[in-house]
Amino acid sequence: MAIPVMKPLLGEEEAQAVAEAVRSGWVAQGPRVAAFEQAFAARVGAEHGIAVSNCTTALHLCLHLLGVQPGDDVVVPSLSFIATANAVRYCGANPVFADIDPLTGNLTAATVAAAITPDTKAVLLVHQGGVPADVDAIRVVAGDIPVVEDAACAAGSTLYGKSVGTGALLAAWSFHPRKLLTTGEGGMITTDDAEWAKRLRRLREHGMSMSAADRHAAGGAVVESYVETAFNYRMTDIQAAMGLVQLGRLDGIVEQRRALAARYHELLAPLGLRAVADPAYATTNYQSFWVALPEGAPPLVDVLSSLAQDGISARRGIMAAHLEPAYDGHPHAALPGTEELARRSLILPLHHEITDADQEHIVASLARALTLVAS
Ligand SMILES: *Cc1c(COP(=O)(O)O)cnc(C)c1O
């Protein structure tokens, strides 16, 4: 494919940092993970960072920490990568799908309020495709119910003038190559709560009373104990070495993505196509640049294959979990906003190697596929 939909920005610096981690002899969770946790938490405005193996395990740990268990309901959007809903099922709990606003792709206070039941143990909102959800408004309707933020896509996005993550009860982040920052695979939980941070560190490491790194540092004879049944969700020092370099690139990546998105907006406007944009209260990092296809457009697969013939790798828009076989028969309320966006949105290529000429080619190809002419 001539133009991929996403391409991670990786340089010689990452290769060097990874090589240094390997040469150090400490490759599992160690000093580089600790340094990455501190740097990442500081960047997003949180007190504590707990690195984990990916964002899916981060979400699972957040819900486990909150005591989510069989018999509990957790409000989630169906319009999300399927890991969001699956994390609820990992706890044996019931995902209750709430609808989204098709303008932002996010849950709203009204859709969350409509989905809360007497058994709701948590609300798991998503900053979909990097567009921040209106967390404060959702917290008001959630009341005492904890609100967890799936910030997998949202590194570098801002909410109410501050980084997403600032003031979050618990936020879960992803470092998969499809996101802005990557460690190959990787994830992080951020929180301001010191007790939670301590428990999360234990939960990611088999429930051990002290980490392997601490035991090593203590020297002498230290015997750990296993205080609860937990998980192995650790990140490696090899990944963290890469993460530290990647973090230094974040501001530049966001700036470039926003400039490319502005150019897409200019090119799409004459065609009358609506694309993802900043909500009034936030700025997106444009992790996913989606376009809503107009009423009466050809089926999404036809548009995708037409783009593919022009050497453009676009993707269907954000998926809806309730439309997947894994959620066949799972009860849910009507989700009109979700279904509209899932069926009619398309993600265009956006990454550091995209040129002005690429963007013109992509939009022209899309216009042909939709048989649209600029007005
Ligand atoms: C990518 C993504 C995840 C999963 O992240 P991994 O690090 O791949 O586990 C979860 N939620 C959302 C919204 C995502 O986009």
Side-chain angles (χ1 to χ4, degrees), residues 77 79 100-107 125-135 138 149-160 164 173 180 257-258 261 265 274-290 318 341:
L79 190 92
I100 51 88
D101 175 355
L103 288 179
T104 61
N106 283 323
L107 297 181
L125 64 77
V126 178
H127 300 301
Q128 195 50 260
V131 179
D134 192 353
V135 178
I138 290 169
E149 299 176 38
D150 180 341
C153 303
S157 297
T158 70
L159 178 58
Y160 318 129
V164 166
W173 309 80
L180 269 67
R257 294 186 75 83
R258 288 185 57 83
H265 280 133
R274 183 175 73 79
V276 59
D278 291 335
Y281 53 82
T283 63
T284 171
N285 61 8
Y286 286 105
Q287 184 270 341
S288 285
F289 188 89
W290 53 258
I318 296 146
L341 209 55

Side-chain angles (χ1 to χ4, degrees), residues 78 97 319-328 332 338-339 342-343:
S78 166
F97 293 132
M319 60 171 298
H322 78 281
L323 300 177
E324 295 298 322
Y327 285 84
D328 257 359
H332 62 82
T338 301
E339 292 184 2
R343 294 212 172 106

Side-chain angles (χ1 to χ4, degrees), residues 51-254:
V52 289
S53 47
N54 55 62
C55 183
T56 307
T57 54
L59 292 169
H60 181 202
L61 281 197
C62 288
L63 297 179
H64 184 84
L65 172 84
L66 295 172
V68 172
Q69 58 184 342
D72 292 337
D73 286 343
V74 176
V75 176
V76 287
S78 166
L79 190 92
S80 183
F81 183 59
I82 201 155
T84 312
N86 284 349
V88 178
R89 283 189 163 173
Y90 293 170
C91 297
N94 176 45
V96 177
F97 293 132
D99 207 5
I100 51 88
D101 175 355
L103 288 179
T104 61
N106 283 323
L107 297 181
T108 67
T111 66
V112 169
I116 288 174
T117 71
D119 294 326
T120 304
K121 193 68 180 274
V123 173
L124 177 51
L125 64 77
V126 178
H127 300 301
Q128 195 50 260
V131 179
D134 192 353
V135 178
D136 284 356
I138 290 169
R139 277 187 175 175
V140 169
V141 299
D144 292 337
I145 302 166
V147 175
V148 178
E149 299 176 38
D150 180 341
C153 303
S157 297
T158 70
L159 178 58
Y160 318 129
K162 294 187 177 134
S163 174
V164 166
T166 306
L169 198 62
L170 290 161
W173 309 80
S174 174
F175 307 118
H176 182 273
R178 185 68 183 78
K179 324 293 176 174
L180 269 67
L181 304 181
T182 188
T183 57
E185 294 274 0
M188 185 85 72
I189 301 168
T190 55
T191 180
D192 290 340
D193 189 305
E195 282 307 307
W196 278 357
K198 197 171 156 202
R199 173 120 189 269
L200 287 165
R201 289 183 200 293
R202 200 167 75 196
L203 285 171
R204 74 167 167 195
E205 196 168 14
H206 304 292
M208 271 158 66
S209 57
M210 73 194 300
S211 75
D214 290 346
R215 196 158 22 115
H216 182 80
V222 202
V223 180
E224 79 285 4
S225 63
Y226 296 84
V227 295
E228 60 182 321
T229 305
F231 310 93
N232 177 2
Y233 283 173
R234 287 174 296 209
M235 177 184 274
T236 69
D237 254 31
I238 304 171
Q239 293 166 297
M242 196 167 151
L244 279 163
V245 178
Q246 286 271 293
L247 190 58
R249 300 190 191 273
L250 181 59
D251 291 344
I253 292 174
V254 173

